[in-house]
Amino acid sequence: MNSQKIPDIIIGRLPIYLRALQRLSEKGVQTTSSQELGRIVGISAAQIRKDISQFGEFGKQGTGYSIPFLIEKLSNILNVDRVWEVVIVGTGDIGRALANYDGFADRGFLVSMVFDNDPDKVGQKAGDFEILDTANMVEKIKERKIKVAMLTVPATSAQEATDQLVRAGVKAILNYAPISLNVPEDVNVQYIDPVTHLQRMTYYL
Amino acid sequence: MNSQKIPDIIIGRLPIYLRALQRLSEKGVQTTSSQELGRIVGISAAQIRKDISQFGEFGKQGTGYSIPFLIEKLSNILNVDRVWEVVIVGTGDIGRALANYDGFADRGFLVSMVFDNDPDKVGQKAGDFEILDTANMVEKIKERKIKVAMLTVPATSAQEATDQLVRAGVKAILNYAPISLNVPEDVNVQYIDPVTHLQRMTYYL
């Protein structure tokens, strides 16, 4: 297997499969088929088989997929068979919602620090976290070798905060600010902007 | 132009272009090029020209794009040259954050009602909105002919709430619940799950 060559669009579907498998597993289900998985996630069985077969032969003709085995394999491929420390930058409504969210821990992520640049917020709490000053952010992230960040600052501060995260060695940024970020080639950004998602759907209305 | 045939992946990029153009416009910039736009959004100039040319000849060789004109065209293509009423279902942290968010109005959307099924929350406020009972949701959405919803309920209630939205005539659902939804073919769903976005990036770490 040469993971370098697998299209990002396929990588993007693996977390969806993993999420569905984990939900089946929670219900006590032990095996599944590409047909069943396809019905759950709304993707064709053929596409699912093709996507998964990029990484090896994980299912058996006729008996389908062992769910614990496939969860293990997908977690391994996506590097979430470990826990990634994550920082949150920005403690507006969304930053606080993420700081409170209890859905990270069992899916590979642990929020470890929360930052804001507002002196009135620094030292206060966001969820269980003391809000730290972004002035010390680069140093603190470097110290703990954190590679993943969620950015929930206003659009006007997003690039500046990104530059700090890049200097700190962060390689994956989940950006909630409604603006495109400039980052070096070895840094990944994923975007969450409800409006762009909504506009993609209104096209069809 | 035959809009039926344009791939969804292209449609998905148009809101990104529109967002960047609106930001340039707010700064008072009147014209841009595919090169400049490409640097801002991190997409190649050739790809941008190709995407935009699917819909007509909107730029001029040598002088580039008129920003107000391109904003008008893209808004028209994405059907956001009007305002869509949107309902929010679920008033946890994310639902409340969305109810408070002031970034919808100038990009084609207006939150008009907020629902929850928790009797302790119904009648309380989320942002400026009185929280309404989901028991009356289908009727209220039908009455106002609302087509767009944001779903921020727990995963365990998400399919049931979706079925209600579909019965009410909603055709576009932005789903924040970490679960795949089953909907009829004429209903669009977009997914926002921070963990799937993060996992897509940890693959590369």
Side-chain angles (χ1 to χ4, degrees):
Chain A
M1 139 183 155
N2 184 342
S3 64
Q4 298 310 99
K5 291 190 171 173
I6 293 171
D8 183 62
I9 188 100
I10 295 181
I11 305 308
R13 285 192 289 262
L14 301 185
I16 312 297
Y17 304 155
L18 180 57
R19 186 174 69 180
L21 291 164
Q22 285 172 325
R23 197 158 293 275
L24 286 170
S25 176
E26 283 161 18
K27 289 182 189 165
V29 185
Q30 291 292 314
T31 59
T32 189
S33 62
S34 53
Q35 285 77 13
E36 184 184 44
L37 202 51
R39 277 192 302 274
I40 295 171
V41 301
I43 295 174
S44 79
Q47 182 72 66
I48 291 174
R49 283 195 302 273
K50 199 175 152 195
D51 287 351
I52 291 176
S53 70
Q54 301 279 321
F55 302 92
E57 208 43 75
F58 298 155
K60 280 183 193 150
Q61 196 83 40
T63 59
Y65 298 106
S66 152
I67 290 177
F69 180 74
L70 195 50
I71 287 176
E72 191 193 318
K73 288 297 173 187
L74 290 178
S75 298
N76 179 258
I77 291 163
L78 292 169
N79 290 320
V80 289
D81 52 357
R82 50 160 288 180
V83 173
W84 295 92
E85 284 192 281
V86 182
V87 299
I88 295 173
V89 188
T91 59
D93 286 338
I94 290 286
R96 285 171 187 274
L98 292 172
N100 280 324
Y101 184 53
D102 64 1
F104 289 119
D106 53 351
R107 297 173 70 195
F109 300 94
L110 177 71
V111 175
S112 72
M113 293 188 285
V114 174
F115 294 92
D116 204 291
N117 66 357
D118 179 346
D120 291 342
K121 288 183 169 177
V122 171
Q124 304 293 311
K125 288 270 186 169
D128 293 335
F129 300 92
E130 186 191 332
I131 300 173
L132 306 174
D133 193 335
T134 45
N136 312 314
M137 186 166 74
V138 173
E139 184 191 344
K140 282 185 184 293
I141 290 176
K142 273 188 178 169
E143 237 171 58
R144 295 178 70 152
K145 299 185 167 57
I146 295 173
K147 299 296 169 204
V148 185
M150 297 190 281
L151 187 59
T152 60
V153 301
T156 45
S157 330
Q159 187 60 52
E160 190 189 331
T162 298
D163 295 344
Q164 285 182 279
L165 291 171
V166 169
R167 276 207 304 283
V170 165
K171 299 295 180 194
I173 300 172
L174 181 56
N175 176 32
Y176 282 80
I179 187 170
S180 298
L181 301 176
N182 292 310
V183 293
E185 270 201 8
D186 66 335
V187 177
N188 269 283
V189 181
Q190 286 276 308
Y191 293 91
I192 289 184
D193 173 357
V195 178
T196 58
H197 283 84
L198 289 170
Q199 290 179 339
R200 183 174 188 158
M201 294 190 286
T202 50
Y203 171 79
Y204 297 100
L205 293 184
Chain B
M1 144 185 152
N2 183 343
S3 65
Q4 298 310 100
K5 291 191 170 172
I6 293 171
D8 183 62
I9 187 101
I10 294 181
I11 305 308
R13 285 192 289 261
L14 300 185
I16 312 298
Y17 303 156
L18 179 57
R19 186 174 69 181
L21 291 164
Q22 285 172 327
R23 196 159 293 277
L24 286 170
S25 176
E26 283 160 18
K27 288 183 190 164
V29 185
Q30 292 291 314
T31 58
T32 188
S33 62
S34 53
Q35 285 76 14
E36 184 185 42
L37 202 51
R39 276 192 301 274
I40 295 171
V41 300
I43 294 174
S44 79
Q47 183 71 66
I48 291 174
R49 283 195 302 273
K50 199 175 153 196
D51 287 352
I52 291 175
S53 70
Q54 301 279 321
F55 302 92
E57 208 42 76
F58 297 155
K60 280 182 193 149
Q61 195 82 40
T63 60
Y65 297 107
S66 153
I67 291 176
F69 179 74
L70 195 50
I71 287 175
E72 191 194 318
K73 289 297 174 188
L74 289 179
S75 299
N76 179 258
I77 291 164
L78 292 169
N79 291 320
V80 289
D81 51 358
R82 49 162 286 180
V83 173
W84 295 91
E85 284 192 281
V86 182
V87 299
I88 295 172
V89 188
T91 58
D93 286 338
I94 290 287
R96 286 172 186 275
L98 292 172
N100 280 325
Y101 183 53
D102 64 1
F104 289 119
D106 54 350
R107 295 172 71 195
F109 300 94
L110 177 71
V111 175
S112 72
M113 294 188 285
V114 174
F115 293 93
D116 204 291
N117 67 357
D118 180 346
D120 291 341
K121 288 183 171 177
V122 171
Q124 303 293 310
K125 289 269 186 171
D128 293 334
F129 300 93
E130 186 192 331
I131 300 173
L132 306 174
D133 193 334
T134 45
N136 312 314
M137 186 166 74
V138 173
E139 185 190 344
K140 282 184 185 294
I141 290 176
K142 273 188 179 170
E143 236 170 58
R144 295 179 70 152
K145 299 187 166 54
I146 294 173
K147 299 296 169 204
V148 184
M150 295 190 283
L151 188 60
T152 60
V153 301
T156 45
S157 329
Q159 186 60 53
E160 190 189 330
T162 298
D163 294 343
Q164 284 183 278
L165 292 172
V166 169
R167 276 205 306 282
V170 166
K171 299 294 180 195
I173 300 172
L174 182 57
N175 177 32
Y176 282 80
I179 187 171
S180 297
L181 301 176
N182 292 309
V183 293
E185 270 200 8
D186 67 335
V187 177
N188 269 284
V189 181
Q190 287 277 310
Y191 293 91
I192 289 184
D193 174 356
V195 178
T196 58
H197 284 84
L198 289 170
Q199 290 180 341
R200 184 174 188 159
M201 295 190 287
T202 50
Y203 171 79
Y204 297 100
L205 292 183

